[in-house]
Amino acid sequence: MARSYISFPQLVDIIGIVDATALCKQHGGCAVYIAKRPEKCALVGIICAVAVESICAELGGEEYMLPLGPFRRVPIKEAVAAMLEAGFSHTEVARECGCTARYSAMVARDTGLNAAPRKKPQKARTGTDGEA
């Protein structure tokens, strides 16, 4: 599934400043699927019903990377670079540093660092050697 990015001003134009701020506070820096139908949208309870209808009508049926919003902390490029050097993935860096995975990838590209590949969950092993 393709993932698009939406900026904070674009989000404000669609759902208003209060709901855009609430949405970014809850899911900023992460990818969120926006359903086509408001009753199936996972954003119910985070933003008001009118905003859910508006965002579903405008962006429904696609996954969007949400911006951090107006409350971005001090520059974090150094922390991101340090975590990338330590071998963390872009997702892990984003969660820990409070940035987006997209920003982590940009820092990696600009500094020549590579993130660790995303780890696949391992299947549980069952004892088949006859032990009880």
Side-chain angles (χ1 to χ4, degrees):
M1 174 184 307
R3 183 181 298 165
S4 299
Y5 176 78
I6 185 165
S7 69
F8 189 73
Q10 291 170 317
L11 201 55
V12 169
D13 287 345
I14 296 168
I15 61 175
I17 187 80
V18 173
D19 288 312
T21 301
L23 181 57
C24 290
K25 193 172 277 190
Q26 184 75 28
H27 293 293
C30 298
V32 174
Y33 178 75
I34 300 174
K36 287 185 178 184
R37 297 181 19 213
E39 61 273 8
K40 293 192 175 216
C41 190
L43 304 179
V44 173
I46 297 170
I47 57 177
C48 74
V50 173
V52 171
E53 288 181 15
S54 296
I55 201 166
C56 288
E58 188 77 24
L59 306 174
E62 195 170 336
E63 187 176 52
Y64 282 86
M65 180 68 72
L66 296 177
L68 292 174
F71 25 80
R72 184 166 202 143
R73 294 177 276 217
V74 293
I76 54 169
K77 188 173 186 177
E78 295 81 19
V80 170
M83 287 189 72
L84 290 171
E85 283 179 12
F88 289 92
S89 70
H90 292 303
T91 302
E92 292 167 325
V93 170
R95 284 194 180 114
E96 184 66 29
C97 293
C99 66
T100 63
R102 182 174 180 240
Y103 179 75
S104 176
M106 289 186 334
V107 170
R109 183 194 66 222
D110 293 346
T111 59
L113 298 170
N114 290 321
R118 187 168 29 174
K119 298 172 187 153
K120 294 181 182 176
Q122 294 184 358
K123 295 180 182 179
R125 294 184 183 177
T126 58
T128 58
D129 56 0
E131 294 181 349

